[in-house]
Amino acid sequence: MEKEAILERFELVYDSETYRRIIANKEVIIHCHHYNSRIQNTIEGARQINGRNIILSSAETVFSDYMANIFKPEDSVEDKWQIAAALYAHLGYGQLDFSKINQGIITSKSSHFVQGWLTGFEERTKPVCVFTEGYLQGAIHAITGEPVHVNEESCMINDETECRFIVDKKRIVPIARYPKQKFQFTPKTDSEFVKSPNIDEQKIIDALVDMPIYGNEKGLIPTFGVYLAAMPADFYNLVCIRFIEEMQKNNLFYVAKRLLMNSAESCAMNTFRGIVNSKEWRSLIAPMVKTQDDELFGIIAVSNALGWGNWHVTKFIPHELLIMQSLNGYEALGFLGYRNKVDSPQCFMLTGVAAGIMALVYGEGTIKERFGIYFSEESSCITCGDQACVFEVENV
Amino acid sequence: MTDENFKEYQYLPVGVLILDQTLNITSANTRFCEIFNVDHESLKNMPLDNLFSPKDRKGSGNFYNKLSQYTKGFLDVQATFRMNRVDYFVRLRAIQVDKQWLIYVENTLIEQDITYEFLIAQERWENIFKNSEGGIVILDTNKRILEYNKIFFEMMHFRSEHDVFLSEEALMGKNLFLLFENREFDWLDRAICEQKNAHKHQQVQKNVWYRDRYLDVRAGIIALPIKGFVGCFIIFQDLTERKLAEDRQSHLLFELQHANKELSKALETLKNTQSQLIQSEKMADLGQLIAGIAHEINTPLGAIRSSVDNLIELFTKLLREFPTFFNDIPPAQQQDFFKLLQEATQCKTALNSKEKRKFRRKLARELSAQAVENTDDIADTLVDMNIYENIEPFLPLLKDKKSQFIVHKVYELASLQSSAHTIATASNRAAKVVFALKSFARHDYKGEKVNANIIEGIETALTLYHNQLKRGVEVFTQYDNLPIIACYFDELNQVWTNLIHNALQAMDNKGKLTIRAILEENQIVIRVSDTGKGIPEEIRTKIFEPFFTTKPVGEGSGLGLDIVKKIIEKHKGTIAVDSEVDKGTTFTISLPIVSI
């Protein structure tokens, strides 16, 4: 199958009304290796639950479904392997080689998750490509209809030349299914937002939408000083929801909530520090930045272009206070797609990010030193029936 | 945990909290309540999260992080509790017992124990570490990064092969020297190894360029009394700005020296150029002077040449014709002939054309009345010989039929004398000019002051300008009896010629030139005045500036008066100008009376 024909299926559609990035009819969110590694570290690291399985099975169900929708009836099995590898690369996860699939072996010579961990975290010896295992299980199921286990036998995290995945066909348990109900939500339009006179948010969004944010020849997106990846919003929703639920079973709901928020806070600082030091920022956004506050508004514009939340500032006191509204954030809407209304807010990523960006712009010292200098709280959430999610950040 | 078990903790000297699996407080011991001044009942069922101070998100975050990854043993963290609006810095040691959590809580600020001392020491160290202006990194025994500060992180900005920044966590535990892409610090690696094994540890120091930064790198071994070598520290001081400033300074110094050399060269060139210009100004003046002098010499030379030609021609003719002529004259008339010749050769005042015409007409009438033939021609010739009255003695001769021929011969013989006179006069004139020239440049040929009379110099200049002056300039001079003064005579002559030259130009060679040299207040004051067009007030102050000229481009260098001023100043004198447009200009020069 021609590469161009495959890539046509992955063409980006950006919905400027809702700030959504759509690839092959699936909403994708651009996050970087900091968030992906951190969320994996948080979920996997919780000893009370099987975090690894949450990541793996969430990836499996999302990509089984995703790929099934991408495939066309006329696609041969060979075409489908090709598409599975191409999608993996296009979304920035790395390279996959299915040439030995008949022997039950899949290899990868480039990985967002390995690179992400190596550049984002302390040393690790345990194979890191848990997401890829789930992706492969989902892809194999979408292509062959068989539920399989995929196990990363060796990983580049341990200085191997490639990651090597072994397919185990002896799986009895059917593929995981997490049905998502269609949920209609109309964002409110009557809000008034605080804007920086210097930051042209639409220009930033337009530029980022036009930027070729897809995998290079190695299937990586090293852009903005970070490794970016386009991840289905469903995946993030599922791993977070399931993590919270699993922790809740162990009576650790607020611990889980804190962990997710703290991950997002650290992620935001690392991510945006990389972004504001990147050549892309210097050429596109830095010329607009006239004051320290402009940097904050520039960061918010970038996060909107990456599909994080359609969020905007409603009140702002430099150094002290930031109140933001997210009109249709993927966390809230995704939660309501998978679950019902709840009593407490569920947008942990945006809650942490809100504190993180304030700490990055107005804090001092290392990320470790900046962490926790702002307190962030989601005071209203669409998941609780509110019209918008509201994040209030205060200097502690 | 049963109530029985809890009794064991009730009276322990440290605070103890018992939490259920949801991390809600089920019990607190007496010591805890004492330390934090709370009552036991108010704590019951309170989530532990409520005890964390909102100011210490780091501590609570650390606690939850460790809790989520807890497997066994004690979980040990520092955090801040807030109770009754008071913050307490506490050490929490938590252990899971069955499904409950047992937490030992020490208020480190109250206890004043070794933990307190340790924490304070740590805080002091962190403060120094954090606020250091240098980038500091601490390595373990295997050169793996244990700790570093913000400056180190920002200075190094380690990146992946794809130009992605390595995070702060990513650096932890990594071999520092393997992070440098080009192994720039292998020398430091080796030096640390050497120091590690050395008997006495010494600091390693070197200044190196790393990427675009110039760093002062210092490293030392960390050796503890019991454990011995536990690692090392490296301090990177960014000297880039200083280095660049030094380089800039060196460069500037070099450029300054270079510029100085260039300036010296330029100054030298300027001096040479100025000398050349002065020289050319002198030459220009001299050129004009020479043209006048040439004319002055040429005129007498022309007269001499013409007279000599005349003499040669007459002599040749007389030598050829005179014997025959003399034989043809009767003896009686021979005497008259010599009388007439004597009269013709007597020195008389020269007549102008008008007078000549007048006397010619009168003489012609007288001769005609005496019945002399060829009266007009004879009258013409006689007047040319200045014989126009008392002609009676010559009438017998003039009435002779050969009178016309005889008179012409007398005229020719008289011409010999007048030509000789002309030669004598012209020679004298030429000699005078040559004398003036000699006077003009005879005095300070060694460039030293000589005793001289100023008036002599002024007169010499006037002589040299005689040719130009005589055409339409009236010259008035008034000299006091001036003393001899020590001066650069030649240079002063240049002053006079320059001022006379300027005056002539200002007057278009027609007008009145007045030169006064007088004694005033023990100074010699020379005023050179002309009746020329004057100097407009707006440029009066500029005329002494070098290169200022009102003359058309190419005609004047603008150095004339500048040179004049410099020469006067060289004599410790002054020069001033007084001018009125369309009336004239006076230059006043004052010279001190000094002698060698």
Side-chain angles (χ1 to χ4, degrees), chain A residues 195-207 284-285 287-289 294 297-298 301-302:
Chain A
K195 302 276 180 190
S196 161
N198 304 320
I199 300 294
D200 186 343
E201 178 168 317
Q202 197 54 49
K203 188 179 172 187
I204 295 170
I205 292 172
D206 291 345
L284 174 65
I285 301 146
M288 300 181 197
V289 175
D294 288 341
F297 285 92
V302 171

Side-chain angles (χ1 to χ4, degrees), chain B residues 516-530:
Chain B
R516 290 189 176 87
I518 55 173
L519 272 173
E520 252 182 37
E521 293 174 359
N522 218 18
Q523 283 194 318
I524 294 173
V525 177
I526 302 101
R527 290 194 178 88
V528 179
S529 308
D530 65 56

Side-chain angles (χ1 to χ4, degrees), chain B residues 197-229:
Chain B
N197 301 320
H199 215 57
K200 195 178 172 189
H201 303 308
Q202 285 183 328
Q203 271 201 19
V204 179
Q205 192 279 332
K206 198 173 174 180
N207 289 356
V208 291
W209 278 102
Y210 174 63
R211 293 187 187 144
D212 60 344
R213 304 275 91 190
Y214 188 69
L215 305 176
D216 169 281
V217 185
R218 286 163 199 269
I221 296 297
I222 306 172
L224 301 181
I226 299 169
K227 277 193 166 183
F229 174 68

Side-chain angles (χ1 to χ4, degrees), chain A residues 38 47 119-120 227 265 374, chain B residues 57 68 160 162 167-169:
Chain A
R38 236 157 259 279
R47 297 285 187 266
T119 52
Y227 291 106
E265 184 174 339
Y374 286 89
Chain B
R57 293 201 40 240
S68 77
S160 76
H162 305 105
S167 75
E168 289 163 15
E169 290 105 313

Side-chain angles (χ1 to χ4, degrees), chain B residues 291-292 295 465-474 509-510:
Chain B
H295 183 82
Y465 272 94
H466 175 75
N467 182 53
Q468 281 104 312
L469 293 167
K470 73 182 180 190
R471 289 177 192 159
V473 176
E474 283 183 272
N509 295 311
K510 283 181 183 65

Side-chain angles (χ1 to χ4, degrees), chain B residues 246-259:
Chain B
E246 282 171 4
D247 287 353
R248 268 197 300 272
Q249 201 176 11
S250 303
H251 186 68
L252 278 176
L253 195 64
F254 173 78
E255 281 196 338
L256 197 64
Q257 284 169 343
H258 184 70

Side-chain angles (χ1 to χ4, degrees), chain A residues 38 45-48 115 118-123 220 222 225 227 251 254-255 258-259 262 265 273 277 365-369 371-372 374-375 396, chain B residues 21-23 47-49 54-55 57-58 61 64-65 67-71 130 149-150 153 160-162 164-170 172-174:
Chain A
R38 236 157 259 279
R47 297 285 187 266
Q48 298 82 355
Q115 289 295 345
L118 288 175
T119 52
F121 267 109
E122 294 179 34
E123 285 191 20
L220 299 174
Y227 291 106
N251 299 301
Y254 70 77
V255 173
R258 286 290 166 86
L259 290 174
N262 291 350
E265 184 174 339
R273 183 172 62 184
N277 282 298
T366 60
I367 298 288
K368 200 173 153 189
E369 287 159 10
F371 178 86
Y374 286 89
F375 176 77
V396 299
Chain B
Q21 22 179 349
T22 60
L23 303 181
L48 174 73
D49 201 47
K55 277 190 176 176
R57 293 201 40 240
K58 214 171 283 183
Y64 291 129
N65 205 30
L67 186 88
S68 77
Q69 296 180 1
Y70 173 83
T71 48
K130 217 161 58 175
N149 65 358
K150 181 193 165 209
F153 181 78
S160 76
E161 58 186 305
H162 305 105
V164 169
F165 299 111
L166 266 64
S167 75
E168 289 163 15
E169 290 105 313
M172 298 302 285
K174 294 228 165 57

